[in-house]
Amino acid sequence: MGGESNYEIHQNAYIKLILHALKHKTSSVNGVLLGRISGNGDNVEIVESVPLFHSQIGLLLPLEISLMMIEEYYADKGLSIVGYFHANERSDDFEVGNVAKNIGDHIYKYFPQAALLLLDNKKLEALLKEGKDRSPVVQLYTKESSRSWKLAGADASGSLKIKEPSANIVLLDYFSSGKWKDIVDFDDHLDDITKDWLNPELFK
């Protein structure tokens, strides 16, 4: 495959990740991507996402518990963990840090076409102000053909697109209506198990 996978993320999976970051603007947040290989094996379809943490972001035990529960739930739906999402604490920080690399590496062991999505705060801020851009407000990093995570497109390999072209318009609507306040992540669930990490009410 040589680093040439293309990635497509479904609208709801994408929106959930961005709303999670908007809810916890002053913290690092993360999440996992669920999906499957499609086409002739060169395409990774990201169907779902699960917001993970906003406070216990580097702790191993909560991470292991959450990944186990997520894998178990989505296996029945034919989906597996295909990547990782990270938003840095500082809006001017565009580096893939050690926590993101370590969790990305863990997923890569089981899924070599793993995607690592890093929130692009500049693009997100511009979208919230101007509302024009239709491209994803995340950067795609992959590791397929190298030993380290590389920004996709830097060497003409890999690309990320949103399945539904109007996703950013829907995202802006959810932002302005305060939907981001409703996002539940695993931190919330571990504090209060009545809070559902699947966020079933979010898109109703």
Side-chain angles (χ1 to χ4, degrees), residues 86-127:
H86 193 93
N88 286 324
E89 183 176 351
R90 293 197 339 266
S91 61
D92 60 347
D93 184 355
F94 299 101
E95 296 295 313
V96 177
N98 287 334
V99 169
K101 283 177 187 169
N102 291 341
I103 299 174
D105 287 348
H106 174 75
I107 294 167
Y108 172 80
K109 273 188 216 165
Y110 302 96
F111 188 75
Q113 287 164 277
L116 194 162
L117 301 184
L118 182 70
L119 181 68
D120 186 329
N121 280 299
K122 269 189 184 165
K123 279 189 87 168
L124 178 58
E125 280 169 25
L127 177 68

Side-chain angles (χ1 to χ4, degrees), residues 30 32 34 50-53 56-74 81 103 106 185-191 193 197:
N30 62 359
V32 288
L34 294 121
V50 177
L52 288 177
F53 303 107
Q56 308 185 71
I57 204 156
L59 295 181
L60 196 59
L61 187 60
L63 178 68
E64 286 180 340
I65 291 168
S66 63
L67 291 182
M68 220 159 54
M69 288 172 70
I70 291 164
E71 282 177 329
E72 201 173 294
Y73 178 84
Y74 282 103
I81 293 175
I103 299 174
H106 174 75
D185 64 12
F186 255 91
D187 263 335
D188 301 320
H189 176 72
L190 293 173
D191 283 344
I193 57 165
W197 54 270

Side-chain angles (χ1 to χ4, degrees), residues 8-64:
E8 182 179 68
I9 186 165
H10 288 214
Q11 176 174 290
N12 287 1
Y14 168 75
I15 288 174
K16 213 186 290 182
L17 297 170
I18 310 306
L19 292 181
H20 184 218
L22 286 167
K23 182 176 180 179
H24 302 286
K25 274 185 174 177
T26 56
S27 309
S28 295
V29 304
N30 62 359
V32 288
L33 315 174
L34 294 121
R36 55 187 165 238
I37 302 268
S38 63
N40 57 3
D42 284 340
N43 296 317
V44 178
E45 189 182 2
I46 302 163
V47 178
E48 255 300 354
S49 67
V50 177
L52 288 177
F53 303 107
H54 62 270
S55 67
Q56 308 185 71
I57 204 156
L59 295 181
L60 196 59
L61 187 60
L63 178 68
E64 286 180 340

Side-chain angles (χ1 to χ4, degrees), residues 110-178:
Y110 302 96
F111 188 75
Q113 287 164 277
L116 194 162
L117 301 184
L118 182 70
L119 181 68
D120 186 329
N121 280 299
K122 269 189 184 165
K123 279 189 87 168
L124 178 58
E125 280 169 25
L127 177 68
L128 295 177
K129 275 181 197 164
E130 297 157 25
K132 290 175 184 171
D133 198 349
R134 290 199 166 202
S135 61
V137 294
V138 292
Q139 296 175 342
L140 167 67
Y141 287 79
T142 59
K143 199 179 173 179
E144 274 186 280
S145 56
S146 68
R147 291 182 184 176
S148 58
W149 293 96
K150 281 193 175 168
L151 184 60
D155 56 359
S157 72
S159 70
L160 174 73
K161 66 174 185 174
I162 308 172
K163 187 176 184 187
E164 298 86 349
S166 59
N168 279 347
I169 296 166
V170 179
L171 172 62
L172 286 169
D173 182 48
Y174 276 37
F175 173 69
S176 60
S177 63

